[in-house]
Amino acid sequence: MKIYLVRHGETEWNKEGKLQGQSDIPLNEYGRELAQITAEGLRDIPFDAVYCSPLIRAKETAEIIKGDRKIPIYFDQRIKEISFGVEEGANLQEIKKNEKDPLYNFIHHTEKYIPPEKGESFKELYKRSAEFMKEVLIPAQKKYETLLLVAHGALNRSILNQIAGIPIDRFWEIQLKNCCVSVLSLQEEQFKILEKGKLFYEG
């Protein structure tokens, strides 16, 4: 089975450099344009089904890429973005410069990151994405040959990093821009990365 793992298109919070987490922010016009360009790039892929985060930015992206294909879309809470709890909406540029900021280690020292109130740790993120891979993707091989999976920057990295054996202290190693496409293969219980972070637009 092949899995096309896509990050959602741009939102206003992406553009403004705000941490989105599980805040339900829609795509902006540019984000919809990126999804449309990506849909065109994937137009010949024979998707059998779509798995998607229930957050609207992922849902909009998935629907644009799906186009007029008569295939099901399944939403799964386990592939939502990592939660930043009370810090959602915080400015990334300010966080990067301030060593005293509670989110500073999320950017610079991921192995030391302690989530804010109501936020999630990397361990919790990895646990739910691993459960999704084991409980949803592996059984899906019996029904499907090609899947579209639309989610988020940190969530998609948690999948790719676990497959590649990249430790949490190198969490940001794989670059994943908005609407980038990574391609995975799955044979029995073995995942393999075929392509990472491909863009169909100039970015």
Side-chain angles (χ1 to χ4, degrees):
M1 187 170 74
K2 267 192 177 179
I3 302 156
Y4 288 75
L5 178 64
V6 180
R7 186 185 173 198
H8 62 80
E10 185 186 85
T11 69
E12 281 304 302
W13 278 26
N14 285 143
K15 188 176 177 181
E16 294 166 9
K18 292 181 178 179
L19 282 179
Q20 285 179 118
Q22 295 183 2
S23 296
D24 211 5
I25 312 300
L27 299 180
N28 60 20
E29 281 308 309
Y30 182 59
R32 293 184 189 99
E33 183 184 328
L34 294 184
Q36 198 62 58
I37 293 167
T38 305
E40 183 63 20
L42 298 173
R43 70 187 182 281
D44 296 328
I45 305 301
F47 294 121
D48 299 310
V50 184
Y51 286 90
C52 186
S53 158
L55 296 176
I56 192 167
R57 59 193 186 268
K59 185 179 178 183
E60 285 187 276
T61 303
E63 286 172 345
I64 291 168
I65 295 173
K66 171 183 172 284
D68 59 5
R69 295 176 179 89
K70 305 298 183 192
I71 58 174
I73 298 186
Y74 304 108
F75 298 100
D76 198 300
Q77 297 288 332
R78 288 169 291 188
I79 50 174
K80 275 185 173 180
E81 182 60 298
I82 191 171
S83 172
F84 298 106
V86 297
E87 293 292 330
E88 293 197 354
N91 184 282
L92 269 168
Q93 292 307 316
E94 292 174 8
I95 292 164
K96 286 177 182 177
K97 297 178 208 166
N98 183 5
E99 291 185 29
K100 294 180 181 177
D101 192 292
L103 289 163
Y104 180 83
N105 284 340
F106 181 76
I107 306 298
H108 295 287
H109 302 290
T110 40
E111 75 283 3
K112 297 178 184 175
Y113 175 62
I114 297 171
E117 184 185 344
K118 297 182 181 175
E120 279 184 295
S121 66
F122 283 112
K123 185 177 179 182
E124 289 167 319
L125 174 69
Y126 276 51
K127 181 176 184 288
R128 62 181 168 86
S129 63
E131 280 178 4
F132 175 80
M133 293 162 74
K134 181 180 178 181
E135 296 174 11
V136 177
L137 294 183
I138 288 174
Q141 294 173 98
K142 294 175 183 175
K143 290 173 68 178
Y144 305 124
E145 290 184 9
T146 311
L147 295 181
L148 173 64
L149 172 52
V150 183
H152 306 270
L155 186 286
N156 290 8
R157 280 185 185 86
S158 76
I159 290 174
L160 293 167
N161 288 352
Q162 288 182 83
I163 295 169
I166 296 171
I168 286 174
D169 63 358
R170 287 161 46 205
F171 184 80
W172 300 108
E173 187 169 301
I174 299 173
Q175 292 297 306
L176 297 180
K177 295 186 175 184
N178 289 112
C179 269
C180 70
V181 181
S182 300
V183 184
L184 315 176
S185 67
L186 174 59
Q187 189 168 4
E188 296 180 356
E189 296 189 12
Q190 294 299 310
F191 288 89
K192 185 178 177 182
I193 300 171
L194 305 179
E195 194 162 11
K196 292 181 280 193
K198 179 177 180 177
L199 298 177
F200 289 95
Y201 63 94
E202 291 192 16

